[in-house]
């Protein structure tokens, strides 16, 4: 099967300054692309609607909701969460009401994840986290423990960690499993087949990467060689819908 990723961004159609709470020390100006005007850019939700109309039903979808909040904000204002989540869910539910398409929601914003989970129960939601790779006023985004605790308390399906953090902190796999969370990874490190192979053996459920063809071919070659030699350490690899994916995902299963 096949999985694609679509990122729905919290952008607007003209340059504006959004009303952030006083704890946010700097506003965010969101501007149009240089070659577009407000009158020529299609409506954001119309774009998602047309995308889902044209996507074959057998293609799974990881829908990542990106927010334009500065890293000085300890939480996303509820009205901003609602502005994004409500029309996205309405659009997705309209197109998948009678469909068997696999859909996963994901976001780096913990408040968006909570909203996506609480407002629907059909599709899994996973929390993307930098886990301390970059500073943020929201403590939920700044460590392995915080990411696991947030995902578990919100009853999310899993977490998606930077591959570099996972490889340096392999105990994360057991911690996520103990919290009943699926653990996936993202990052440039996943473009190296050896890193994906190592994660598979650790128990990571999936890897998000760019160099799909290269990594798949190498892992399939290794798997075939292991089967021929009846290796007890053989690991099977499958490209496809992972409950998460983007821009493409390799699912690993022991």
């Amino acid at each position: 099967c096949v999985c694609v990723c679509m990122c729905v961004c919290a952008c607007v159609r003209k340059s504006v300054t959004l009303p952030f709470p006083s704890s946010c020390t700097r506003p965010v100006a969101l501007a149009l692309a240089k070659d577009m005007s407000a009158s020529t850019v299609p409506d954001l939700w119309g774009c998602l609607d047309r995308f889902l109309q044209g996507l074959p039903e057998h293609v799974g979808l990881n829908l990542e909701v990106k927010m334009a909040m500065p890293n000085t904000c300890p939480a996303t204002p509820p009205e901003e969460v609602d502005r994004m989540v409500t029309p996205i869910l309405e659009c997705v539910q309209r197109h998948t009401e009678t469909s068997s398409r696999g859909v996963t929601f994901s976001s780096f914003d913990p408040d968006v994840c909570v909203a996506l989970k609480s407002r629907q129960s059909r599709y899994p939601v996973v929390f993307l986290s930098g886990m301390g790779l970059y500073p943020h006023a929201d403590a939920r985004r700044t460590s392995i423990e915080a990411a696991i605790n947030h995902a578990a308390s919100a009853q999310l399906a899993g977490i998606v960690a930077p591959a570099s953090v996972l490889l340096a902190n392999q105990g994360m796999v057991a911690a996520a499993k103990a919290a009943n969370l699926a653990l996936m990874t993202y990052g440039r490190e996943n473009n190296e087949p050896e890193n994906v192979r190592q994660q598979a053996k650790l128990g990571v459920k999936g890897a998000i990467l760019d160099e799909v063809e290269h990594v798949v071919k190498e892992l399939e070659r290794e798997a075939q060689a292991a089967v021929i030699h009846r290796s007890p350490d053989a690991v099977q690899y499958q490209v496809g819908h992972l409950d998460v994916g983007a821009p493409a995902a390799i699912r690993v299963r022991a």
Side-chain angles (χ1 to χ4, degrees):
C1 58
V2 180
C3 179
V4 300
C5 173
M6 181 179 186
C7 296
V8 181
C9 302
C11 57
V12 291
R13 295 316 178 205
K14 57 184 178 179
S15 182
V16 300
T17 298
L18 298 178
F20 294 119
S22 58
S23 57
C24 302
T25 57
R26 63 182 179 87
V28 174
L30 302 172
L32 290 166
K34 291 181 179 179
D35 58 344
M36 294 181 178
S37 66
S39 61
T40 61
V41 180
D43 177 76
L44 176 63
W45 314 121
C47 291
L48 178 59
D49 187 76
R50 289 195 297 274
F51 176 81
L52 292 174
Q53 283 180 353
L55 191 67
E57 186 172 330
H58 72 278
V59 178
L61 177 66
N62 170 34
L63 194 60
E64 179 186 349
V65 181
K66 289 186 175 291
M67 303 299 287
M69 299 299 297
N71 60 9
T72 52
C73 285
T76 302
E79 60 272 19
E80 184 65 5
V81 173
D82 185 68
R83 184 181 75 87
M84 288 295 291
V85 170
T86 297
I88 289 173
L89 287 179
E90 289 176 352
C91 184
V92 171
Q93 289 169 352
R94 183 169 62 252
H95 283 280
T96 60
E97 192 171 13
T98 59
S99 169
S100 60
R101 184 192 311 282
V103 176
T104 295
F105 290 107
S106 62
S107 181
F108 278 95
D109 190 305
D111 296 304
V112 168
C113 288
V114 170
L116 290 167
K117 170 64 177 177
S118 64
R119 298 186 192 186
Q120 60 84 42
S121 59
R122 182 177 179 183
Y123 298 119
V125 180
V126 295
F127 179 35
L128 289 151
S129 177
M131 297 185 174
L133 286 185
Y134 49 83
H136 204 287
D138 188 339
R140 296 170 294 180
R141 306 185 189 213
T142 58
S143 71
I144 297 170
E145 181 180 8
I148 292 175
N149 288 342
H150 173 68
S153 64
Q155 298 184 321
L156 304 183
I159 55 175
V160 189
S164 60
V165 173
L166 180 280
L167 292 170
N169 301 272
Q170 297 181 10
M172 186 196 315
V173 179
K177 185 176 181 180
N180 198 31
L181 296 170
L183 175 60
M184 286 76 72
T185 64
Y186 68 91
R188 294 180 179 178
E189 291 80 5
N190 285 344
N191 290 326
E192 295 296 329
E194 173 58 26
N195 288 335
V196 177
R197 184 193 64 78
Q198 181 181 355
Q199 292 175 53
K201 289 191 173 184
L202 288 171
V204 173
K205 298 302 182 182
I208 299 169
L209 52 107
D210 298 312
E211 302 296 333
V212 177
E213 183 176 8
H214 164 65
V215 174
V216 169
K217 285 183 177 179
E218 182 62 23
L219 294 180
E220 286 180 341
R221 183 190 65 78
E222 291 178 3
Q224 290 170 0
V227 170
I228 291 172
H229 291 91
R230 299 183 181 277
S231 169
D233 296 325
V235 176
Q236 296 178 330
Y237 301 90
Q238 170 187 333
V239 177
H241 184 60
L242 169 66
D243 289 339
V244 66
I250 289 181
R251 180 179 185 176
V252 294
R253 51 190 175 88

